[in-house]
Amino acid sequence: MSGELIRLGLAGLGTVGTGLAKILASNADWIERRLGRRVEIKTALVRDPSKKRDLPENADIRLTSDVQDLLGDPELDIIVELMGGQDTAYELITGALRSGRHVVTANKALLAHQGNELFALAAENQVGLGYEASIAGGIPIVQTLKEGLAGNQIKVLTGILNGTANFILSEMTSRGLDFQSALHQAQVKGYAEADPTLDIEGMDAAHKLILLIRLAHGQDYPLSRLPVTGITHVDPQDIAFADEFGYRIKLIAQVRETNGLLDAGVFTALVRRESILGKVDGAFNAILLDGDAVGPIMLYGQGAGDLPTGSAVLADIMNLARNGRTPNNTGFQNAMLPMASILAPELVSSRHYFRFSVLDRPGVLASIAGVLGQRNISIAQVVQKGSPAGRSVPVVFVTHKAQAQDVQAAIREIDNQSFIAAPTVHHRILSSPA
Ligand SMILES: NC(=O)C1=CN([C@@H]2O[C@H](COP(=O)(O)OP(=O)(O)OC[C@H]3O[C@@H](n4cnc5c(N)ncnc54)[C@H](OP(=O)(O)O)[C@@H]3O)[C@@H](O)[C@H]2O)C=CC1
Ligand SMILES: N[C@@H](CC=O)C(=O)O
């Protein structure tokens, strides 16, 4: 990079791209004071250049729908990919890296699927591939793991990593909103992915967790092996029961390292209402880390939205603009990371919440307790609610620690009983102090 001006080629002027353009305009002098140079978006790639856009008044951005207007322009110092998706984004990022240009992206889906290849390509061409915005919006977790905590081995990382899912669960809990209305609001506010099933089925949090495992453990965890549950099965009844027991239901992403093996997954969990994660509401995200030297650390902030995410994108741009040496993109010496050593998910142990829908007959509670006992699942609490005669009733069990394989086997066996009126609902319970 040379010259007085840093010229960006931006792909995507949606929620995040527009957020970046706004910060570049409002903080232009501040950015120049830090870098000694100005930063401007020269060209932006969009699907529809004629669309009306909410850009800063003085923005002088050339709009195009031709990816070659970015790849073929030698004046562009950094290519910023904020369009999402995997095909054109892959073409743009690989083309830019091959041409020796730095890239900044917020595209966790692409990095979770093809990160190893893209980081190797960046290393081969000695350029930077910045991705701060791809995990937890405005929270500077990538820099924290690569630099601030570089000397630590991270034993446990627990996060609320999807703003949309957390917003939906918070709205259902605090305002009694139904799932679809809450999702619609998250879309209007610009939190959701273009395909919101990624948010509500847990895949967006899974993409972010794969990137966090790379940063925290230097290992390549295949997405296809990560156990992932979303929030579509969270029922208002379970939110109310959880509240009675003193919990909130959250979508949790977690990786724990024990005896050299990684136990990782995305799952719904009951989290103590008064705990740190229990108080993370709306589109906010939080990440709790336990480093072997530093001990516990928590990062908290807005996990989605235009300005918070734009802030993280700009941090990468400024870092690349300042940094003369070849950036260390993965945070490790090797650009191609080794395959993760994985603890089989069926062996993972945790506490559990079950809601059985049962016909109100004598002996039902004893039958359920019997199956749980045979599978080494010890009961901590039971609650049964009454209902009009003849209708099914919910019975909630909270357990002590049990292995996932025993839990799955018990649910299968109980759901086959004649007294079960609907499939059993099941959530994990997160251990303190998270
Ligand atoms: N929204 C958020 O809070 C966050 C998003 N991200 C990530 O940032 C990226 C962008 O997200 P977001 O801003 O919400 O997305 P939007 O859907 O709001 O914007 C996407 C932009 O990319 C353009 N675009 C999409 N596909 C193409 C294509 N094939 N060719 C040319 N232009 C295209 C669109 O053009 P047009 O305007 O003409 O339709 C639009 O300007 C995604 O990877 C997302 O996962 C990361 C963190 C937070
Ligand atoms: N859809 C994502 C956006 C940020 O990554 C979310 O809701 O967290």
Side-chain angles (χ1 to χ4, degrees):
M1 260 180 282
S2 59
E4 287 308 301
L5 196 60
I6 293 161
R7 291 188 183 83
L8 307 178
L10 173 63
L13 256 183
T15 301
V16 185
T18 305
L20 173 67
K22 286 180 181 167
I23 309 171
L24 283 172
S26 63
N27 291 356
D29 293 341
W30 178 252
I31 294 164
E32 186 176 10
R33 211 181 132 206
R34 284 200 181 271
L35 293 182
R37 306 162 72 182
R38 293 187 87 77
V39 181
E40 73 168 34
I41 301 168
K42 180 182 176 194
T43 309
L45 174 72
V46 290
R47 254 186 308 238
D48 176 7
S50 67
K51 191 155 120 186
K52 194 167 165 23
R53 294 174 195 276
D54 173 28
L55 290 172
E57 259 175 33
N58 54 355
D60 179 20
I61 303 172
R62 179 188 165 216
L63 298 185
T64 178
S65 57
D66 183 355
V67 71
Q68 290 310 321
D69 285 340
L70 298 191
L71 286 176
D73 184 347
E75 259 192 6
L76 298 176
D77 298 296
I78 301 177
I79 300 295
V80 182
E81 186 277 304
L82 301 176
M83 63 202 287
Q86 297 200 34
D87 300 335
T88 313
Y90 176 85
E91 181 193 340
L92 176 70
I93 291 177
T94 52
L97 295 175
R98 283 201 182 95
S99 70
R101 240 90 58 88
H102 297 300
V103 170
V104 172
T105 180
N107 196 331
K108 55 265 173 162
L110 184 63
L111 290 178
H113 284 279
Q114 280 161 297
N116 241 3
E117 175 195 340
L118 295 176
F119 288 120
L121 190 59
E124 201 179 299
N125 290 283
Q126 301 196 358
V127 286
L129 175 53
Y131 52 106
E132 186 65 77
S134 64
I135 311 167
I139 300 177
I141 182 65
V142 176
Q143 286 303 316
T144 299
L145 284 169
K146 274 201 321 195
E147 293 179 11
L149 299 180
N152 283 257
Q153 301 212 34
I154 307 296
K155 293 298 170 194
V156 188
L157 180 157
T158 309
I160 290 177
L161 300 180
N162 186 269
T164 301
N166 202 52
F167 177 84
I168 293 172
L169 293 175
S170 301
E171 291 292 296
M172 287 173 76
T173 306
S174 63
R175 298 208 295 139
L177 227 64
D178 66 87
F179 189 99
Q180 283 307 328
S181 315
L183 170 59
H184 178 69
Q185 280 201 21
Q187 290 176 293
V188 170
K189 287 171 183 286
Y191 304 149
E193 296 299 301
D195 171 7
T197 56
L198 292 169
D199 297 294
I200 61 178
E201 287 175 0
M203 281 317 290
D204 179 73
H207 293 149
K208 294 165 178 165
L209 184 60
I210 294 293
L211 301 185
L212 287 172
I213 293 173
R214 300 175 137 266
L215 285 159
H217 295 280
Q219 299 183 29
D220 186 28
Y221 196 116
L223 187 59
S224 58
R225 292 190 60 191
L226 189 73
V228 181
T229 312
I231 60 165
T232 48
H233 65 301
V234 177
D235 189 290
Q237 273 191 79
D238 299 306
I239 292 177
F241 276 122
D243 194 41
E244 253 179 65
F245 289 119
Y247 291 95
R248 293 277 179 252
I249 300 185
K250 298 285 180 193
L251 185 67
I252 296 294
Q254 189 174 60
V255 56
R256 299 184 286 193
E257 190 266 327
T258 322
N259 299 329
L261 295 179
L262 300 184
D263 149 22
V266 174
F267 49 87
T268 48
L270 273 67
V271 178
R272 289 233 58 99
R273 199 170 41 212
E274 301 310 326
S275 68
I276 292 174
L277 292 183
K279 290 183 180 157
V280 175
D281 285 324
F284 276 77
N285 283 189
I287 301 166
L288 291 181
L289 297 162
D290 197 359
D292 61 353
V294 74
I297 288 216
M298 179 198 172
L299 288 95
Y300 168 82
Q302 297 187 67
D306 54 358
L307 299 181
T309 314
S311 154
V313 174
L314 183 54
D316 275 341
I317 294 168
M318 292 175 71
N319 198 18
L320 287 167
R322 262 195 299 239
N323 210 337
R325 65 190 165 82
T326 303
N328 182 355
N329 300 313
T330 61
F332 294 87
Q333 284 302 306
N334 31 356
M336 280 295 246
L337 296 175
M339 179 62 80
S341 306
I342 297 173
L343 177 71
E346 58 272 22
L347 300 181
V348 169
S349 186
S350 61
R351 296 182 64 212
H352 295 268
Y353 162 100
F354 300 106
R355 177 171 53 80
F356 301 104
S357 299
V358 305
L359 302 175
D360 200 0
R361 293 185 197 152
V364 164
L365 275 187
S367 299
I368 294 175
V371 175
L372 295 179
Q374 280 159 18
R375 300 282 177 187
N376 301 313
I377 304 170
S378 163
I379 299 161
Q381 250 176 308
V382 182
V383 170
Q384 175 172 353
K385 299 279 178 191
S387 87
R391 297 255 300 272
S392 69
V393 291
V395 183
V396 172
F397 282 67
V398 169
T399 76
H400 294 294
K401 275 194 173 175
Q403 270 196 347
Q405 58 188 358
D406 291 327
V407 167
Q408 291 311 329
I411 292 176
R412 272 196 304 274
E413 193 174 335
I414 291 169
D415 279 358
N416 270 330
Q417 308 289 322
S418 60
F419 58 76
I420 289 290
T424 295
V425 173
H426 159 244
H427 302 287
R428 278 169 65 168
I429 299 178
L430 208 65
S431 314
S432 311

